[in-house]
Amino acid sequence: MAAVTAAAVSLSSSPAKAAAPSPSCSHFLAYPRVAARNARAVRVQVSTTETTEAAPAPVKKEKISKKQDEGVATNTYRPKEPYVGRCLLNTRITGDDAPGETWHMVFSTEGKLPYREGQSIGVIADGVDKNGKPHKLRLYSIASSALGDFGDSKTVSLCVKRLVYTNDQGEIVKGVCSNFLCDLKAGSEVKITGPVGKEMLMPKDPNATIVMLATGTGIAPFRSFLWKMFFEEHEDYKFNGLAWLFLGVPTSSTLLYKEELEKMKEMAPENFRLDFAVSREQTNAAGEKMYIQTRMAEYKEELWQLLKKDNTYVYMCGLKGMEKGIDDIMVDLAAKDGIDWFEYKKQLKKGEQWNVEVY
């Protein structure tokens, strides 16, 4: 029998406003080990021409990814034939006084929608658009590990903020898909496509330094990473490196999965560092609002030293503007070492060490 690690974690940071889960759903979960995966063989092709004048063509080697990409499924389900799952759980995870609502939801997959940490799924909202056509899919980063929140590889979870805003005409506009998802009740059907994406897959190296930069619901892929690292046991993967998460939010009532993250830090203090940036409540020594790049600037020298190592991987997910703020920090630090930051970042991207998913 596979060994298990038990984790007792509350999803809600405020009094729960949740759809009632099925009797099998529990926050006291056990996570079975997963069987070791077979390594993929590397193919090398050599082309030669049998003449005395021509030299052998150079050996063309298959590019070997540094990420956990072996056997990754993509586009198992497409918009014309989506997978139809059911909502098992839908819980608000922001406080009542938070500027906006964010919900954590769990859907059944019955093991028919395998995915990997760092991938996304598409959701097609019920109903039709103003032209009478089905709504277009919307992509959401998966917020659960490949084993899922219940540890049986039969669920997938999302972290979704309800989109509501006032347009230039003073009209209240509601995002179709986000409101559809946040309003789901237990037992409701949901049309799912995918999974998609390889940009945000975890590195293979269990001793890597993984720096994760998230704003708001951009925490989703990192929750999947961290559950695999600290809440689960795998026969083929044991994380021994450093995971460092920077999470930026506007208020403390919008700190997503705070209890889970603090539990992980308690479990693995040598392997997990956690820094919050709460922009409307915190300031730095100069009195500036504490955005994610402001918090990172407090550790800029240490971060730059880590970025010069070949086993450091940066993952960024959230608002598009965050990358510029981080560039601003690194330009001067790199210049001190005679390095052009933007050229260096290109090399990091080429080596799969700089990974960005922003919106």
Side-chain angles (χ1 to χ4, degrees):
M1 180 179 292
V4 298
T5 298
V9 179
S10 172
L11 287 173
S12 180
S13 60
S14 65
K17 294 187 177 180
S22 64
S24 62
C25 298
S26 171
H27 294 289
F28 296 87
L29 311 176
Y31 312 102
R33 293 180 182 232
V34 295
R37 302 181 180 91
N38 295 325
R40 181 179 62 181
V42 178
R43 297 175 58 194
V44 179
Q45 298 177 334
V46 180
S47 174
T48 60
T49 305
E50 294 186 8
T51 67
T52 56
E53 297 179 358
V59 175
K60 184 179 180 181
K61 294 184 178 180
E62 180 183 349
K63 181 182 178 181
I64 302 175
S65 176
K66 296 178 182 178
K67 297 179 181 177
Q68 298 179 18
D69 65 343
E70 296 175 7
V72 171
T74 57
N75 294 308
T76 306
Y77 293 92
R78 297 178 181 273
K80 290 185 178 180
E81 295 184 9
Y83 178 80
V84 179
R86 288 190 178 276
C87 178
L88 301 178
L89 177 72
N90 198 6
T91 305
R92 180 173 170 173
I93 56 173
T94 47
D96 291 338
D97 61 341
E101 300 175 18
T102 300
W103 293 68
H104 179 87
M105 54 205 69
V106 183
F107 306 140
S108 66
T109 66
E110 300 305 323
K112 296 177 182 178
L113 185 72
Y115 59 87
R116 198 69 59 81
E117 295 83 3
Q119 289 193 288
S120 301
I121 56 171
V123 174
I124 304 172
D126 287 351
V128 295
D129 63 18
K130 62 183 179 181
N131 298 315
K133 296 182 179 181
H135 291 296
K136 293 183 179 180
L137 70 86
R138 290 292 182 265
L139 289 176
Y140 294 91
S141 297
I142 295 171
S144 52
S145 73
L147 292 183
D149 284 1
F150 303 150
D152 58 5
S153 300
K154 293 182 179 181
T155 65
V156 62
S157 301
L158 297 181
C159 173
V160 179
K161 182 175 182 179
R162 186 190 296 275
L163 177 61
V164 180
Y165 66 95
T166 303
N167 65 16
D168 294 337
Q169 289 72 46
E171 302 167 325
I172 295 177
V173 180
K174 295 184 178 181
V176 173
C177 200
S178 69
N179 280 270
F180 165 74
L181 287 171
C182 292
D183 288 336
L184 280 175
K185 306 300 182 185
S188 300
E189 292 187 344
V190 57
K191 296 187 285 291
I192 301 171
T193 67
V196 297
K198 293 185 178 181
E199 170 79 8
M200 300 290 283
L201 295 176
M202 293 176 67
K204 293 176 183 175
D205 184 1
N207 301 307
T209 293
I210 303 176
V211 180
M212 296 161 283
L213 316 175
T215 55
T217 56
I219 188 65
F222 307 136
R223 181 178 186 267
S224 74
F225 286 18
L226 294 166
W227 271 55
K228 181 171 184 177
M229 292 174 185
F230 302 119
F231 281 169
E232 300 172 358
E233 294 184 2
H234 297 264
E235 293 178 352
D236 60 349
Y237 181 81
K238 178 175 173 53
F239 184 69
N240 297 307
L242 172 64
W244 192 350
L245 172 66
F246 290 87
L247 174 59
V249 295
T251 66
S252 56
S253 58
T254 55
L255 280 169
L256 307 178
Y257 308 112
K258 184 173 183 285
E259 292 84 1
E260 287 186 11
L261 296 172
E262 291 176 340
K263 178 68 174 178
M264 293 170 186
K265 188 174 181 181
E266 179 185 328
M267 292 171 63
E270 300 300 317
N271 302 97
F272 184 40
R273 292 177 65 173
L274 176 62
D275 280 280
F276 296 132
V278 185
S279 61
R280 298 183 189 177
E281 299 175 11
Q282 298 174 338
T283 58
N284 64 5
E288 299 169 323
K289 286 187 175 183
M290 187 62 72
Y291 295 108
I292 189 169
Q293 62 268 27
T294 320
R295 180 66 75 194
M296 291 178 67
E298 297 179 346
Y299 303 96
K300 60 184 181 180
E301 297 287 351
E302 184 178 2
L303 287 166
W304 173 237
Q305 293 306 313
L306 289 174
L307 283 171
K308 291 192 285 185
K309 298 181 179 181
D310 61 7
N311 71 334
T312 295
Y313 297 79
V314 176
Y315 291 83
M316 187 182 310
C317 189
L319 298 175
K320 191 174 183 179
M322 64 191 292
E323 188 170 13
K324 181 184 182 303
I326 294 159
D327 286 338
D328 292 343
I329 297 171
M330 292 300 167
V331 165
D332 291 340
L333 288 170
K336 289 180 182 179
D337 288 343
I339 296 172
D340 182 308
W341 164 247
F342 294 100
E343 289 300 318
Y344 188 71
K345 189 168 74 167
K346 287 180 183 177
Q347 294 303 311
L348 291 175
K349 288 181 178 179
K350 187 176 180 180
E352 300 180 298
Q353 292 177 253
W354 189 269
N355 307 279
V356 179
E357 190 173 84
V358 292
Y359 42 82

